[in-house]
Amino acid sequence: MSDNTKFLLDESKLPKAWYNINADMPVPPEPVLNPQTLEPVTPDFLSVLFPMSLIMQEISTEAQIEIPEPVREIYKLWRPTPMFRARRLEKALDTPAHIYYKYEGASPVGSHKPNTAVPQAFYNKEAGTKALTTETGAGQWGSALAMACNYFGLDLEVYMVKVSYNQKPYRRMVIESYGAEVYASPTDRTNYGRSVLAEHPDSPGSLGIAISEAVEVAATSGGAKKYSLGSVLNHVLMHQTVIGEETLLQMEMAGEYPDVIVACTGGGSNFGGFAFPFVRENLRNGKNTTIIAAEPAASPSLTRGTYAFDYGDTAKMAPVVKMHTLGHSFVPPAIHAGGLRYHGMSPQVSALVNNGDVQARAVPQLETFEAAITFLRSEGIIPAPESTHAIAVALQEARKCKETGEKKVIAFNLSGHGHFDMAAYDAYLKGQLEDYEYPAEAIAEAMTQLPQVGG
Ligand SMILES: *Cc1c(COP(=O)(O)O)cnc(C)c1O
């Protein structure tokens, strides 16, 4: 076992291929449906929104997909990212467990999101796309895609959830600094945005609404603009698997193998990227790691949503997929400060949870910030509010080890830093945050609006 605190990989160890879990899924994938007909989509339908290379990745069953050299060149600006042994945290918890974390906040924009933004911009450029549209919540995805579009000379329009646009001006400024345009959604630039504003002039917006606007702009652009999504889809999770592949090598350097791994889940991309290579080792190579997806109690799609076909957006323009969902009309509670606000979940992550290969756990908000404070006062890094959900579950596991005396090896993904989210920490430190459980009646009501898919 290594005495190191940091585990750094040489640039030559940067993965040459992404891992496509479609090759090993224990259950066959459900079809993606056209939102109008509820019949399986054709590549034609999807090609309005995405370049064919990404559509082929979405449905590929090849286990390895080569990472193009121009993408690896840009990855090298921050990859391989470091993995740390959290020795000071272990001491603070007085636990016999060994705790490791992979740090994706080392990227230029401070999160894992450029791992897919860069290849998405690359494949669009290669296909002749001139401009992209996208949505962003807190601005992490918008920043990542703005950086990537800048590298490949693509224009970018970002539809940013209005409440975040107003409350998180620094992320908007980051996006604009990379050269992209940002609009507070709902906007008056789209039919759907105008219809929302007509009904609710003060709408704070939601990810579902912003997705609808970005999709509408691309779909009605006559081919000039394509749409890009930062999570949920198979190809997005696949691009993120560089995280888990590097972590496997770094655990080898540490001379240990994790008994438990944890990542937070919004749409599932940092979780899938970190966990899928470990799921492969469980399914194919006889490993037995407990794999946990951590989500907010205020937005609990995996633990309290229904596993059903649902629309990917509020206006029912995006494809219908089978996933754990709180209903496409979901608007997250304003008191919730921890991100991870999407109504649905990656179909791959949903299928693995449904099949018992992955566990899901919901954490109340005060516990996540409490865990973040314990973490940052030991390890120094201020975590993104999203990442604190993974930390909270890792702490739960480490405290269990203290009770039982077990020396488990726990590894989690620190998906980003929280330097632009200090207002959430401020609210926590001032005692202004409270726990919030999403109400069962709201979930039941939303379930009556699911599309009626036969069979
Ligand atoms: C966007 C984001 C998430 C949530 O998205 P996933 O697709 O579920 O990973 C988590 N952590 C950080 C830092 C993010 O920016």
Side-chain angles (χ1 to χ4, degrees), residues 111-113 140 231 264-270 340 384 386-387 415-416:
S111 76
H112 65 290
K113 289 198 168 77
Q140 289 271 25
S231 189
C264 67
T265 46
S269 78
N270 90 88
L340 310 172
E386 291 86 351
S387 318
S415 52

Side-chain angles (χ1 to χ4, degrees), residues 40 170 209 234:
Y170 290 106
I209 295 170
N234 300 344

Side-chain angles (χ1 to χ4, degrees), residues 232-241 268-269 273 276 346 348-349:
V232 183
L233 300 176
N234 300 344
H235 67 265
V236 177
L237 274 63
M238 184 186 77
H239 297 156
Q240 293 291 354
T241 57
S269 78
F276 284 178
S346 139
Q348 290 173 328
V349 173

Side-chain angles (χ1 to χ4, degrees), residues 5-9 75 77-86 99-115 140 171 240 242-244 246-248 250-251 262-263 270 273-274 278 375-376 379-388 390-391 411-422 425:
T5 296
K6 289 195 291 305
F7 297 90
L8 304 174
L9 290 170
Y75 275 175
L77 291 173
W78 70 94
R79 305 211 70 84
T81 57
M83 183 186 82
F84 295 89
R85 168 102 183 259
I99 306 175
Y100 293 87
Y101 61 97
K102 177 73 164 164
Y103 186 42
E104 288 297 307
S107 85
V109 296
S111 76
H112 65 290
K113 289 198 168 77
N115 298 332
Q140 289 271 25
R171 283 233 196 268
Q240 293 291 354
V242 288
I243 305 173
E246 288 176 6
T247 309
L248 277 167
Q250 286 162 312
M251 290 303 313
V262 190
N270 90 88
F274 181 64
F278 289 94
F375 176 83
L376 71 89
E379 299 297 314
I381 298 173
I382 297 180
E386 291 86 351
S387 318
T388 65
I391 299 174
F412 68 89
N413 191 38
L414 187 58
S415 52
H417 70 63
H419 294 181
F420 292 111
D421 305 288
M422 293 319 296
Y425 280 89

